[in-house]
Amino acid sequence: MSDGVQTEMRGAVGVVTLDRPKALNALNLEMCRRLLPQLEAWAADPAVKAVVVRGAGGRAFCAGGDVRAVAASTVEPRGAGPERLSREFFRAEYALNHRIHHFGKPYISLVDGICMGGGLGLSIHGSHRVVTEKLVLAMPETGIGLFPDVGGGWFLPRFPGESGTYLGLTGARCGAADAMWLGYGTHHVESARLDSVLEALVRAEWGAGPASAVVERILSSFHADAGTSVLATQHAAMDRCFAAERVEDIQQALEAEGSAWAQQTWATLVHRCPTSLKVSLRQLRMGRKRDYDEMVAVEYRLSQSMTARADFREGIRAVLVDKDNKPRWHPGTLGDVSEADVEACFAPRDGDELVLAPG
Ligand code: QUE
């Protein structure tokens, strides 16, 4: 059995295929637990020059984490196992992201189709991301009562201007040209040519020089212009509206902006979880000044406090179970989310902190 993920060596390339196509390759605990030791082994093996990660099924790279299973586990009767899933899953997922972040060899994601949330965690921390015309990229967590995790507190503030604040709060979807503009995509290649990209990496002569130079040369030879980014055209308005320190002020700035983009964005924010919005903005501002490893520890605290809230189960119900897309949030308005409520979500967890090996 593949346990949702296949791994194999091809030439000097370790190949990972995320293989849960019916769930759009959403990452579950078993997949994280298989991948982490495999990456450890490949990092330590001098015969491995590079790693390639891709999704099976042709529709998605990875739709996110298996949040449905996590939500189900928070309502099951307390016993020996399932109620621990929230703890075990986020620990395993963030440890995997951390391993990729510090991998040290070329780690190339072939991002062909849907890539959301946990899919960014599997790709953005590596060295290269090849995106295609099928890319749909988003951090949609504020729509299910969570927050942009898997390092979002670190990578979103490092996108151009306030684009990361915009993406993290609204969950807006981007295409390939946007992904290139953000710096998420390092190369843009037609979907139909991805097998040839992998083949070229597998056949490469690695020699004695740096493997990264070989990877760069190969990926560049397949690269084609991705066209005009929609995000880029909204850049100035995004910077004007999303620079504020309070979500209420962002909404007010969008009202004052008045454009069709601003009206749409305002309408999107109104449907997001109010507690998620306030928690996420604080997380994103915190991440401006902290390094990646520090933000992972913060995000682990948030993963535990946010998945324990009723809004998370309600978000999963509305978006993934009943699919009515009409979540009823509590509190239901920004004004009813107090500073103390937000602060409490960030509180250190006695005996349950995530401590990962430094760099
Ligand atoms: C926010 C999320 C996720 C999401 C939708 C959100 C997420 C996730 C999935 C998802 C989608 C389709 C599937 C599946 C999972 O949707 O993390 O198994 O078939 O995994 O608004 O964070």
Side-chain angles (χ1 to χ4, degrees), residues 20 22-24 26 63-67 116-118 140-141 143-144 146 319-320:
R20 284 182 78 215
K22 285 179 194 152
L24 300 176
D66 193 1
V67 280
M116 304 192 302
E141 293 89 349
I144 56 167
L146 294 182
V319 173
L320 292 178

Side-chain angles (χ1 to χ4, degrees), residues 13-18 35 39 50-55 60-62 97 100-101 103 105-115 118-132 135 137 179-180 184-189 194 197-198 201 215 219:
V13 181
V15 179
V16 172
T17 307
L18 306 168
L35 279 173
L39 292 180
V51 167
V52 169
V53 185
R54 59 186 180 163
F61 174 76
C62 172
N97 296 159
I100 297 165
H101 190 93
F103 195 60
K105 294 182 185 184
Y107 176 107
I108 306 141
S109 300
L110 305 180
V111 192
D112 186 27
I114 297 164
C115 179
L120 278 89
L122 285 183
S123 54
I124 203 165
H125 298 294
S127 59
H128 299 82
R129 285 153 304 280
V130 179
V131 301
T132 75
L135 178 72
L137 187 74
M180 294 302 294
Y184 170 82
T186 58
H187 299 80
H188 174 251
V189 176
L194 284 185
V197 171
L198 178 55
L201 290 164
V215 168
L219 297 185

Side-chain angles (χ1 to χ4, degrees), residues 135-314:
L135 178 72
V136 178
L137 187 74
M139 290 295 283
E141 293 89 349
T142 59
I144 56 167
L146 294 182
F147 62 99
D149 69 336
V150 296
W154 175 80
F155 66 75
L156 290 170
R158 284 157 186 77
F159 283 162
E162 293 298 334
S163 57
T165 314
Y166 166 74
L167 294 171
L169 294 187
T170 64
R173 294 168 172 219
C174 306
D178 300 321
M180 294 302 294
W181 179 77
L182 288 168
Y184 170 82
T186 58
H187 299 80
H188 174 251
V189 176
E190 204 186 314
S191 174
R193 298 186 77 203
L194 284 185
D195 286 345
S196 309
V197 171
L198 178 55
E199 203 59 25
L201 290 164
V202 169
R203 288 164 187 270
E205 293 285 348
W206 297 94
S212 58
V214 176
V215 168
E216 286 290 336
R217 182 173 51 70
I218 292 171
L219 297 185
S220 299
S221 75
F222 285 90
H223 174 76
D225 188 69
T228 307
S229 160
V230 181
L231 271 189
T233 67
Q234 299 152 347
H235 188 205
M238 234 156 42
D239 286 358
R240 277 195 294 277
C241 298
F242 281 83
E245 298 301 319
R246 297 170 64 240
V247 183
E248 290 92 332
D249 295 338
I250 291 174
Q251 285 194 328
Q252 209 163 48
L254 287 166
E255 286 167 34
E257 186 77 16
S259 65
W261 169 83
Q263 285 176 22
Q264 269 169 28
T265 302
W266 188 92
T268 301
L269 282 181
V270 163
H271 290 104
R272 299 295 177 243
C273 170
T275 303
S276 289
L277 289 174
K278 288 201 166 179
V279 164
S280 301
L281 185 59
R282 185 180 164 124
Q283 170 210 7
L284 295 172
R285 295 310 186 227
M286 197 181 267
R288 284 172 170 169
K289 301 185 291 279
R290 308 229 184 161
D291 68 24
Y292 169 71
D293 289 5
E294 290 175 303
M295 282 316 286
V296 177
V298 170
E299 289 179 9
Y300 179 70
R301 294 172 182 170
L302 290 178
S303 74
Q304 300 307 290
S305 55
M306 295 300 275
T307 54
R309 300 185 69 255
D311 279 346
F312 170 53
R313 286 185 294 280
E314 171 62 4

